[in-house]
Coordinates of all heavy atoms in Angstrom, one line a residue:
M1 N -51.8 5.5 41.7 CA -52.5 4.7 42.6 C -51.5 4.4 43.7 O -50.4 3.9 43.5 CB -52.9 3.4 41.9 CG -53.6 2.4 42.8 SD -54.5 1.1 42.1 CE -53.5 0.5 40.7
G2 N -51.9 4.5 44.9 CA -51.0 4.3 46.1 C -51.1 2.8 46.5 O -51.7 2.0 45.9
I3 N -50.4 2.6 47.6 CA -50.3 1.2 48.2 C -51.7 0.7 48.6 O -52.1 -0.4 48.3 CB -49.3 1.2 49.4 CG1 -47.9 1.5 48.9 CG2 -49.3 -0.2 50.0 CD1 -47.3 0.5 47.9
A4 N -52.5 1.6 49.2 CA -53.8 1.2 49.8 C -54.7 0.9 48.5 O -55.4 -0.1 48.5 CB -54.4 2.3 50.5
G5 N -54.7 1.7 47.5 CA -55.5 1.4 46.3 C -55.1 0.2 45.6 O -55.9 -0.6 45.2
A6 N -53.8 0.0 45.5 CA -53.3 -1.3 44.8 C -53.6 -2.4 45.6 O -54.0 -3.5 45.0 CB -51.7 -1.2 44.7
T7 N -53.6 -2.3 46.9 CA -54.0 -3.5 47.7 C -55.5 -3.9 47.6 O -55.8 -5.0 47.5 CB -53.6 -3.2 49.3 OG1 -52.3 -2.9 49.4 CG2 -54.0 -4.4 50.2
I8 N -56.3 -2.8 47.6 CA -57.7 -3.0 47.4 C -58.0 -3.7 46.1 O -58.8 -4.6 45.9 CB -58.5 -1.7 47.6 CG1 -58.4 -1.3 49.1 CG2 -60.0 -1.8 47.1 CD1 -58.9 0.1 49.4
V9 N -57.4 -3.2 45.0 CA -57.6 -3.6 43.6 C -57.1 -5.1 43.6 O -57.8 -6.0 43.0 CB -56.8 -2.8 42.6 CG1 -56.8 -3.5 41.3 CG2 -57.5 -1.4 42.5
F10 N -55.9 -5.4 44.2 CA -55.4 -6.7 44.2 C -56.4 -7.7 44.9 O -56.6 -8.8 44.3 CB -54.0 -6.8 44.9 CG -53.4 -8.2 44.9 CD1 -52.8 -8.6 43.7 CD2 -53.5 -9.0 45.9 CE1 -52.2 -9.9 43.7 CE2 -53.0 -10.4 45.9 CZ -52.3 -10.8 44.7
V11 N -56.9 -7.4 46.1 CA -57.7 -8.3 46.8 C -59.1 -8.5 46.1 O -59.5 -9.7 45.9 CB -58.0 -7.7 48.3 CG1 -59.1 -8.5 49.0 CG2 -56.8 -7.7 49.1
L12 N -59.7 -7.5 45.6 CA -60.9 -7.6 44.8 C -60.6 -8.5 43.5 O -61.4 -9.3 43.2 CB -61.4 -6.3 44.4 CG -62.1 -5.4 45.6 CD1 -62.4 -4.1 45.1 CD2 -63.2 -6.2 46.2
G13 N -59.5 -8.2 42.8 CA -59.1 -8.9 41.7 C -58.9 -10.5 42.0 O -59.3 -11.3 41.2
W14 N -58.3 -10.7 43.2 CA -58.0 -12.1 43.5 C -59.3 -12.8 43.8 O -59.4 -13.9 43.2 CB -57.2 -12.1 44.8 CG -56.6 -13.4 45.1 CD1 -55.3 -13.9 44.7 CD2 -57.2 -14.5 45.9 NE1 -55.2 -15.2 45.2 CE2 -56.3 -15.6 45.8 CE3 -58.4 -14.6 46.4 CZ2 -56.7 -16.8 46.5 CZ3 -58.8 -15.9 47.1 CH2 -57.8 -16.9 47.1
W15 N -60.2 -12.3 44.5 CA -61.5 -13.0 44.7 C -62.3 -13.2 43.5 O -62.9 -14.2 43.3 CB -62.3 -12.3 45.8 CG -61.8 -12.6 47.2 CD1 -61.1 -11.8 48.0 CD2 -61.9 -13.9 47.9 NE1 -60.7 -12.4 49.1 CE2 -61.3 -13.7 49.2 CE3 -62.5 -15.0 47.6 CZ2 -61.3 -14.7 50.0 CZ3 -62.4 -16.1 48.5 CH2 -61.8 -15.9 49.7
I16 N -62.3 -12.2 42.6 CA -63.1 -12.3 41.4 C -62.5 -13.4 40.5 O -63.2 -14.3 40.0 CB -63.2 -11.0 40.6 CG1 -64.0 -9.9 41.4 CG2 -63.7 -11.2 39.2 CD1 -63.9 -8.5 40.9
T17 N -61.1 -13.4 40.4 CA -60.4 -14.4 39.6 C -60.6 -15.8 40.3 O -60.8 -16.8 39.5 CB -59.0 -14.0 39.5 OG1 -58.8 -12.7 39.0 CG2 -58.3 -15.0 38.5
F18 N -60.5 -15.9 41.6 CA -60.6 -17.1 42.2 C -62.0 -17.7 42.0 O -62.1 -18.9 41.6 CB -60.4 -17.0 43.7 CG -60.5 -18.3 44.5 CD1 -59.5 -19.2 44.3 CD2 -61.5 -18.5 45.4 CE1 -59.5 -20.4 45.1 CE2 -61.5 -19.7 46.0 CZ -60.6 -20.6 45.9
F19 N -63.1 -17.0 42.1 CA -64.4 -17.5 41.8 C -64.6 -17.8 40.4 O -65.4 -18.7 40.0 CB -65.5 -16.5 42.3 CG -65.7 -16.5 43.8 CD1 -65.6 -15.3 44.5 CD2 -65.9 -17.7 44.5 CE1 -65.8 -15.3 45.9 CE2 -66.0 -17.7 45.9 CZ -66.0 -16.5 46.5
A20 N -63.8 -17.2 39.5 CA -63.9 -17.5 38.1 C -63.3 -18.8 37.7 O -63.8 -19.6 36.9 CB -63.3 -16.4 37.2
V21 N -62.2 -19.1 38.4 CA -61.4 -20.4 38.1 C -61.9 -21.5 39.0 O -61.5 -22.7 38.7 CB -59.9 -20.2 38.2 CG1 -59.4 -19.1 37.2 CG2 -59.4 -19.9 39.6
L22 N -62.7 -21.3 39.9 CA -63.0 -22.3 40.9 C -63.7 -23.5 40.3 O -63.4 -24.7 40.5 CB -63.9 -21.7 42.0 CG -64.1 -22.6 43.3 CD1 -62.7 -22.8 43.9 CD2 -64.9 -21.8 44.2
P23 N -64.7 -23.3 39.4 CA -65.4 -24.5 38.8 C -64.6 -25.3 37.7 O -65.0 -26.3 37.2 CB -66.6 -24.0 38.2 CG -66.4 -22.6 37.9 CD -65.3 -22.1 38.9
I24 N -63.4 -24.8 37.2 CA -62.7 -25.3 36.1 C -62.0 -26.6 36.6 O -61.3 -26.8 37.6 CB -61.6 -24.4 35.6 CG1 -62.2 -23.1 35.1 CG2 -60.7 -25.0 34.6 CD1 -61.3 -22.0 34.7
G25 N -62.4 -27.7 35.9 CA -61.8 -29.0 36.0 C -62.2 -29.8 37.2 O -61.6 -30.8 37.6
V26 N -63.3 -29.4 37.8 CA -63.8 -30.1 39.0 C -64.8 -31.2 38.5 O -65.7 -31.0 37.7 CB -64.6 -29.1 39.9 CG1 -65.2 -29.9 41.1 CG2 -63.6 -28.1 40.4
K27 N -64.6 -32.4 39.1 CA -65.5 -33.5 38.9 C -66.1 -34.0 40.2 O -65.4 -34.1 41.2 CB -64.8 -34.7 38.3 CG -64.3 -34.4 36.8 CD -63.7 -35.6 36.2 CE -63.3 -35.4 34.8 NZ -62.7 -36.5 34.2
G28 N -67.4 -34.2 40.2 CA -68.0 -34.6 41.4 C -67.8 -36.1 41.7 O -67.4 -36.9 40.8
Q29 N -68.0 -36.5 42.9 CA -67.8 -37.9 43.3 C -68.8 -38.8 42.5 O -68.5 -40.0 42.3 CB -68.0 -38.0 44.8 CG -67.0 -37.3 45.6 CD -67.1 -37.5 47.1 OE1 -67.9 -38.4 47.5 NE2 -66.5 -36.7 47.9
W30 N -70.0 -38.3 42.3 CA -71.0 -39.1 41.6 C -70.6 -39.5 40.2 O -71.1 -40.4 39.6 CB -72.4 -38.4 41.6 CG -72.3 -37.1 40.8 CD1 -72.0 -35.9 41.4 CD2 -72.6 -36.9 39.4 NE1 -72.1 -34.9 40.4 CE2 -72.4 -35.5 39.2 CE3 -73.0 -37.8 38.4 CZ2 -72.6 -35.0 38.0 CZ3 -73.2 -37.2 37.2 CH2 -73.0 -35.8 37.0
E31 N -69.7 -38.7 39.6 CA -69.4 -38.9 38.2 C -68.6 -40.3 37.9 O -68.6 -40.8 36.8 CB -68.5 -37.7 37.6 CG -69.4 -36.5 37.5 CD -68.7 -35.3 37.0 OE1 -67.5 -35.0 37.4 OE2 -69.2 -34.6 36.0
D32 N -67.8 -40.7 38.9 CA -67.1 -42.0 38.7 C -67.4 -43.0 39.8 O -66.6 -43.9 40.1 CB -65.6 -41.7 38.6 CG -65.0 -41.0 39.8 OD1 -65.8 -40.7 40.7 OD2 -63.7 -40.8 39.8
E33 N -68.5 -42.8 40.4 CA -69.0 -43.7 41.5 C -68.0 -43.9 42.5 O -67.8 -45.1 43.1 CB -69.3 -45.0 40.8 CG -70.4 -45.0 39.7 CD -71.8 -44.4 40.2 OE1 -72.1 -44.7 41.3 OE2 -72.4 -43.8 39.4
S34 N -67.3 -42.9 43.0 CA -66.3 -43.1 44.1 C -66.7 -42.2 45.3 O -65.9 -41.6 45.9 CB -65.0 -42.6 43.6 OG -64.9 -41.2 43.3
T35 N -68.0 -42.3 45.6 CA -68.5 -41.4 46.7 C -68.0 -42.0 48.0 O -68.1 -43.2 48.3 CB -70.1 -41.5 46.7 OG1 -70.5 -41.1 45.5 CG2 -70.6 -40.6 47.9
T36 N -67.4 -41.1 48.8 CA -66.8 -41.5 50.1 C -68.0 -41.5 51.1 O -68.9 -40.6 51.1 CB -65.8 -40.4 50.6 OG1 -64.8 -40.3 49.6 CG2 -65.2 -40.8 51.9
P37 N -68.2 -42.5 51.9 CA -69.3 -42.6 52.8 C -69.3 -41.4 53.8 O -68.3 -41.0 54.3 CB -69.0 -43.9 53.6 CG -68.1 -44.7 52.7 CD -67.3 -43.7 52.0
G38 N -70.5 -40.9 54.0 CA -70.7 -39.7 54.8 C -70.5 -38.4 54.1 O -70.5 -37.3 54.7
T39 N -70.2 -38.3 52.8 CA -70.1 -37.1 52.1 C -71.2 -36.9 51.0 O -71.8 -37.8 50.7 CB -68.7 -37.0 51.4 OG1 -68.6 -38.0 50.4 CG2 -67.5 -37.1 52.3
E40 N -71.3 -35.7 50.6 CA -72.3 -35.4 49.6 C -71.8 -35.9 48.3 O -70.6 -35.8 47.9 CB -72.5 -33.9 49.5 CG -73.4 -33.4 48.3 CD -74.8 -33.9 48.4 OE1 -75.4 -34.0 49.6 OE2 -75.4 -34.1 47.5
E41 N -72.7 -36.6 47.5 CA -72.4 -37.0 46.2 C -71.8 -36.0 45.2 O -71.0 -36.3 44.3 CB -73.5 -37.8 45.5 CG -74.0 -39.0 46.3 CD -75.1 -39.7 45.5 OE1 -75.7 -39.1 44.6 OE2 -75.4 -40.9 45.9
G42 N -72.3 -34.8 45.3 CA -71.9 -33.7 44.5 C -70.7 -33.0 44.9 O -70.2 -32.1 44.2
A43 N -70.1 -33.4 46.0 CA -68.8 -32.8 46.5 C -67.7 -33.1 45.5 O -67.6 -34.2 45.0 CB -68.5 -33.3 47.9
P44 N -66.8 -32.1 45.3 CA -65.7 -32.4 44.3 C -64.8 -33.5 44.8 O -64.5 -33.6 46.0 CB -65.0 -31.1 44.2 CG -65.4 -30.3 45.4 CD -66.7 -30.9 45.8
K45 N -64.3 -34.3 43.9 CA -63.3 -35.4 44.3 C -62.0 -34.8 44.5 O -61.3 -35.1 45.4 CB -63.3 -36.4 43.1 CG -62.5 -37.6 43.4 CD -62.5 -38.6 42.3 CE -61.6 -39.8 42.6 NZ -61.7 -40.8 41.6
N46 N -61.5 -33.9 43.7 CA -60.2 -33.3 43.8 C -60.4 -31.8 43.4 O -60.3 -31.5 42.2 CB -59.2 -34.0 42.9 CG -57.8 -33.4 43.1 OD1 -57.6 -32.7 44.0 ND2 -56.9 -33.7 42.1
P47 N -60.6 -30.9 44.3 CA -60.9 -29.5 43.9 C -59.7 -28.7 43.4 O -59.8 -27.6 42.9 CB -61.4 -28.9 45.3 CG -60.9 -29.8 46.3 CD -60.7 -31.1 45.8
M48 N -58.4 -29.1 43.7 CA -57.2 -28.5 43.2 C -57.2 -27.0 43.7 O -56.9 -26.1 42.9 CB -57.1 -28.6 41.7 CG -57.1 -29.9 41.2 SD -57.0 -30.0 39.4 CE -58.7 -29.6 39.0
L49 N -57.4 -26.8 45.0 CA -57.6 -25.4 45.5 C -56.2 -24.6 45.5 O -56.2 -23.5 45.2 CB -58.1 -25.5 46.9 CG -59.6 -25.8 47.0 CD1 -60.0 -25.8 48.5 CD2 -60.5 -24.9 46.2
V50 N -55.1 -25.3 45.7 CA -53.8 -24.7 45.7 C -53.5 -24.2 44.2 O -53.1 -23.0 44.1 CB -52.6 -25.5 46.2 CG1 -51.3 -24.9 46.0 CG2 -52.9 -25.9 47.7
K51 N -53.7 -25.0 43.3 CA -53.5 -24.6 41.9 C -54.4 -23.4 41.5 O -54.0 -22.5 40.8 CB -53.8 -25.9 41.0 CG -53.4 -25.7 39.6 CD -53.8 -27.1 38.9 CE -53.4 -27.0 37.4 NZ -53.6 -28.3 36.8
K52 N -55.6 -23.4 41.9 CA -56.5 -22.4 41.6 C -56.1 -21.1 42.3 O -56.4 -20.0 41.8 CB -58.0 -22.8 41.9 CG -58.4 -23.9 40.9 CD -59.7 -24.4 41.2 CE -60.0 -25.6 40.2 NZ -61.3 -26.2 40.3
A53 N -55.7 -21.2 43.6 CA -55.2 -20.0 44.3 C -54.0 -19.4 43.6 O -53.9 -18.2 43.5 CB -54.9 -20.4 45.7
I54 N -53.1 -20.2 43.0 CA -51.9 -19.7 42.3 C -52.4 -18.9 41.1 O -52.0 -17.8 40.8 CB -51.0 -20.8 42.0 CG1 -50.3 -21.3 43.3 CG2 -50.0 -20.3 40.9 CD1 -49.5 -22.6 43.1
W55 N -53.4 -19.5 40.3 CA -53.9 -18.9 39.2 C -54.7 -17.6 39.5 O -54.6 -16.6 38.8 CB -54.8 -19.8 38.3 CG -54.1 -20.7 37.4 CD1 -53.9 -22.1 37.7 CD2 -53.4 -20.4 36.3 NE1 -53.1 -22.6 36.6 CE2 -52.8 -21.6 35.8 CE3 -53.2 -19.2 35.6 CZ2 -52.1 -21.7 34.6 CZ3 -52.4 -19.3 34.5 CH2 -51.9 -20.5 34.0
A56 N -55.4 -17.6 40.6 CA -56.0 -16.4 41.1 C -55.0 -15.3 41.4 O -55.3 -14.1 41.1 CB -56.9 -16.7 42.3
T57 N -53.9 -15.7 42.0 CA -52.8 -14.7 42.4 C -52.3 -14.1 41.1 O -52.0 -12.9 41.0 CB -51.8 -15.3 43.2 OG1 -52.4 -15.9 44.4 CG2 -50.7 -14.4 43.7
I58 N -52.1 -14.9 40.1 CA -51.4 -14.4 38.8 C -52.5 -13.5 38.2 O -52.2 -12.4 37.6 CB -51.1 -15.6 37.9 CG1 -49.9 -16.4 38.5 CG2 -50.8 -15.1 36.5 CD1 -49.6 -17.7 37.8
G59 N -53.8 -13.9 38.1 CA -54.8 -13.1 37.6 C -54.9 -11.7 38.3 O -55.1 -10.7 37.6
A60 N -54.9 -11.8 39.6 CA -55.0 -10.5 40.3 C -53.8 -9.6 40.1 O -54.0 -8.4 40.1 CB -55.2 -10.9 41.9
A61 N -52.6 -10.2 40.0 CA -51.5 -9.4 39.7 C -51.6 -8.7 38.3 O -51.3 -7.5 38.2 CB -50.2 -10.2 39.7
V62 N -52.1 -9.4 37.3 CA -52.3 -8.8 36.0 C -53.4 -7.7 36.1 O -53.2 -6.6 35.5 CB -52.7 -9.9 35.0 CG1 -53.2 -9.3 33.7 CG2 -51.6 -10.8 34.7
I63 N -54.5 -8.0 36.8 CA -55.5 -6.9 37.0 C -55.0 -5.7 37.6 O -55.3 -4.6 37.2 CB -56.7 -7.5 37.8 CG1 -57.4 -8.5 36.9 CG2 -57.7 -6.4 38.2 CD1 -58.5 -9.4 37.6
T64 N -54.2 -5.8 38.7 CA -53.5 -4.8 39.4 C -52.6 -4.0 38.6 O -52.6 -2.8 38.6 CB -52.8 -5.3 40.7 OG1 -53.8 -6.0 41.5 CG2 -52.3 -4.1 41.5
L65 N -51.8 -4.6 37.8 CA -50.9 -4.0 36.8 C -51.6 -3.2 35.8 O -51.3 -2.0 35.6 CB -50.0 -5.1 36.1 CG -49.0 -4.5 35.1 CD1 -48.0 -3.7 35.8 CD2 -48.3 -5.7 34.4
V66 N -52.7 -3.7 35.2 CA -53.4 -3.0 34.2 C -54.1 -1.8 34.9 O -54.1 -0.7 34.3 CB -54.5 -3.9 33.6 CG1 -55.5 -3.1 32.8 CG2 -53.8 -5.0 32.7
A67 N -54.7 -2.0 36.1 CA -55.3 -0.9 36.8 C -54.3 0.2 37.2 O -54.6 1.4 37.0 CB -56.0 -1.4 38.1
A68 N -53.1 -0.1 37.5 CA -52.0 0.8 37.8 C -51.6 1.6 36.6 O -51.1 2.7 36.7 CB -50.8 0.1 38.5
L69 N -51.7 1.0 35.4 CA -51.3 1.7 34.2 C -52.4 2.5 33.6 O -52.2 3.6 33.1 CB -50.9 0.7 33.2 CG -49.6 -0.1 33.5 CD1 -49.4 -1.1 32.4 CD2 -48.3 0.8 33.6
V70 N -53.7 2.1 33.8 CA -54.8 2.8 33.3 C -55.3 3.9 34.1 O -55.7 5.0 33.6 CB -55.9 1.8 32.9 CG1 -57.2 2.5 32.5 CG2 -55.4 0.9 31.8
I71 N -55.5 3.7 35.4 CA -56.1 4.7 36.3 C -55.4 6.0 36.3 O -56.0 7.1 36.1 CB -56.2 4.1 37.8 CG1 -57.2 3.1 37.8 CG2 -56.5 5.2 38.8 CD1 -57.4 2.3 39.0
P72 N -54.1 6.1 36.4 CA -53.4 7.4 36.2 C -53.7 8.2 34.9 O -53.8 9.4 34.9 CB -51.9 7.1 36.4 CG -51.8 5.9 37.1 CD -53.0 5.1 36.7
Q73 N -53.8 7.4 33.8 CA -54.2 8.0 32.5 C -55.6 8.6 32.6 O -55.8 9.6 32.0 CB -54.1 7.0 31.4 CG -52.7 6.4 31.2 CD -51.6 7.5 30.9 OE1 -52.0 8.4 30.1 NE2 -50.4 7.5 31.4
L74 N -56.5 7.9 33.3 CA -57.9 8.4 33.3 C -58.0 9.6 34.2 O -58.9 10.5 34.0 CB -58.8 7.3 33.8 CG -59.0 6.1 32.9 CD1 -59.8 5.0 33.5 CD2 -59.6 6.5 31.6
L75 N -57.2 9.7 35.2 CA -57.2 10.8 36.2 C -56.4 12.0 35.8 O -56.5 13.0 36.5 CB -56.9 10.4 37.6 CG -57.7 9.2 38.2 CD1 -57.1 8.8 39.6 CD2 -59.1 9.7 38.3
A76 N -55.5 11.9 34.8 CA -54.7 12.9 34.4 C -55.5 14.1 33.8 O -56.5 13.8 33.0 CB -53.7 12.4 33.3
E77 N -55.2 15.3 34.2 CA -55.9 16.4 33.6 C -55.3 16.8 32.3 O -54.2 16.8 32.0 CB -55.7 17.6 34.6 CG -56.4 17.4 35.9 CD -56.3 18.6 36.8 OE1 -56.0 19.7 36.3 OE2 -56.4 18.4 38.1
P78 N -56.2 17.1 31.3 CA -55.8 17.5 29.9 C -55.0 18.8 30.0 O -55.4 19.8 30.8 CB -57.0 17.6 29.1 CG -58.2 17.6 30.1 CD -57.6 17.1 31.4
V79 N -54.0 18.9 29.2 CA -53.2 20.2 29.2 C -53.7 21.2 28.2 O -54.3 20.9 27.3 CB -51.8 19.9 28.9 CG1 -50.9 21.1 28.8 CG2 -51.2 18.8 29.8

């Protein structure tokens, strides 16, 4: 797998992982009656986006590593 392929796998893996970890640990403003005036009650109080972006990067790196190890084996011609 070349640089272009690894980049594509990493970007796709990052977004898939990011959307998977996005709802983890999120509490809405309505859950503890701390709604900020002018915002939606269901809006997250503390979305922790930086933490989730870091987890998504780690997950994408693992996905890319696994793909880099598996794809050459699948494409190898039998002897």
Side-chain angles (χ1 to χ4, degrees):
M1 178 167 44
I3 295 295
T7 303
I8 291 169
V9 170
F10 182 82
V11 170
L12 290 173
W14 192 91
W15 279 106
I16 291 169
T17 308
F18 183 70
F19 284 129
V21 299
L22 198 57
I24 297 173
V26 176
K27 291 185 179 180
Q29 295 179 14
W30 62 272
E31 291 179 314
D32 60 358
E33 303 297 329
S34 65
T35 304
T36 305
T39 62
E40 173 65 35
E41 291 180 352
K45 184 175 180 181
N46 183 13
M48 302 176 288
L49 291 178
V50 173
K51 186 177 185 180
K52 292 175 182 181
I54 292 170
W55 279 108
T57 303
I58 293 169
V62 169
I63 290 170
T64 304
L65 178 66
V66 169
L69 295 173
V70 171
I71 288 174
Q73 298 297 324
L74 294 175
L75 297 176
E77 295 182 18
V79 178

